[in-house]
Amino acid sequence: EVQLVQSGAEVKKPGESLKISCQTSGYPFTNYWIAWVRQMPGKGLEWMGSIYPSDSDTKYSPSFRGQVTVSADKSVNSAYLQWTSLKASDTAVYYCARLRRWPQGYFDFWGQGTLVPVSS
Amino acid sequence: DIQMTQSPSTLSASIGDRVAITCRASQSISTWLAWYQQKPGKAPQLLIYEASTLESGVPSRFSGTGSGTEFSLTITSLQPDDFATYFCQQYHSFFYTFGQGTKLDIK
């Protein structure tokens, strides 16, 4: 059974750093791209970036390039999303999702989401 | 970026109704379109890909049509479990973009 299990909610202050995780199981981790998707409160879905764990090839949305870092660790079948300095506007739920194929792919399995409230 | 526009933003319907949601792309995306269902506090779930292919395990009352720039998701005989928000997503380009969502609620 394919599963993507994300790390728990994190309450942060502006300026703090954060790294959230997405642990996968049930399929060959290095064979599929993993993406991160943002959902701000009451809003729609925004693709942030994707990584191919086999070689760490990474693609970013222009809206998020330079704002976050996507990474992966093959040894623990996990992907990560990282900020060096959070802003209040980063408050959102962040989902990881598996891409069924690349580049013309859709998201067939999703993590449960990680809530990141950023407030002073 | 390819812009995706859904209509309506909100749709009220009753159990047993047939409803349709439209998604328009700002340029042709062939049939590189997926539909997702999202319930409050939950992750989206894939319903349809390649514009009209039903994902495994999704009830047959869901169907998708369209190509180019205009697409639709139809749900026949609405069930209580179907009241949720629906999103379209294009994958013509790997700069994936989603529609803004259509909330389907009970009339």
Side-chain angles (χ1 to χ4, degrees):
Chain A
E1 180 193 6
V2 174
Q3 287 193 310
L4 285 73
V5 178
Q6 298 183 228
S7 48
E10 302 263 7
V11 181
K12 290 292 189 181
K13 291 180 165 50
E16 292 185 329
S17 63
L18 176 64
K19 189 175 187 177
I20 62 175
S21 66
C22 171
Q23 180 156 33
T24 72
S25 60
Y27 74 95
F29 179 62
T30 54
N31 287 13
Y32 292 83
W33 288 74
I34 289 275
W36 288 94
V37 176
R38 182 175 80 174
Q39 188 166 39
M40 298 177 77
K43 301 297 184 184
L45 303 166
E46 301 171 271
W47 171 71
M48 302 174 70
S50 300
I51 188 164
Y52 189 57
S54 180
D55 59 8
S56 291
D57 188 13
T58 311
K59 309 291 183 190
Y60 290 96
S61 162
S63 300
F64 293 94
R65 181 181 296 276
Q67 308 304 308
V68 295
T69 301
V70 174
S71 60
D73 185 341
K74 291 185 284 190
S75 68
V76 291
N77 291 346
S78 294
Y80 304 94
L81 180 65
Q82 184 173 2
W83 295 259
T84 55
S85 182
L86 285 159
K87 309 180 193 63
S89 57
D90 292 318
T91 294
V93 175
Y94 294 88
Y95 294 102
C96 61
R98 191 183 80 163
L99 275 156
R100 184 165 285 174
R101 62 165 186 253
W102 179 268
Q104 282 158 325
Y106 44 90
F107 307 104
D108 60 354
F109 290 93
W110 295 67
Q112 82 277 19
T114 297
L115 174 64
V116 179
V118 182
S119 173
S120 52
Chain B
D1 285 10
I2 299 175
Q3 306 301 316
M4 306 301 292
T5 304
Q6 286 181 236
S7 60
S9 296
T10 308
L11 181 55
S12 296
S14 302
I15 303 294
D17 282 355
R18 178 180 185 274
V19 297
I21 298 167
T22 297
C23 179
R24 289 187 174 86
S26 60
Q27 66 184 73
S28 178
I29 58 169
S30 184
T31 55
W32 303 121
L33 185 101
W35 289 97
Y36 301 86
Q37 177 193 70
Q38 186 179 34
K39 296 179 181 176
K42 300 293 187 183
Q45 282 193 290
L46 176 66
L47 296 175
I48 285 169
Y49 58 94
E50 250 85 293
S52 61
T53 303
L54 207 62
E55 173 69 349
S56 175
V58 174
S60 59
R61 61 181 180 273
F62 291 90
S63 63
T65 60
S67 66
T69 61
E70 188 145 339
F71 303 85
S72 66
L73 171 70
T74 300
I75 314 171
T76 56
S77 190
L78 274 172
Q79 300 301 302
D81 194 47
D82 300 337
F83 292 95
T85 300
Y86 294 85
F87 294 94
C88 60
Q89 176 233 333
Q90 67 79 20
Y91 49 99
H92 172 78
S93 155
F94 73 75
F95 291 107
Y96 309 116
T97 48
F98 294 85
Q100 80 280 14
T102 295
K103 184 178 181 182
L104 176 58
D105 60 25
I106 299 177
K107 189 184 291 183

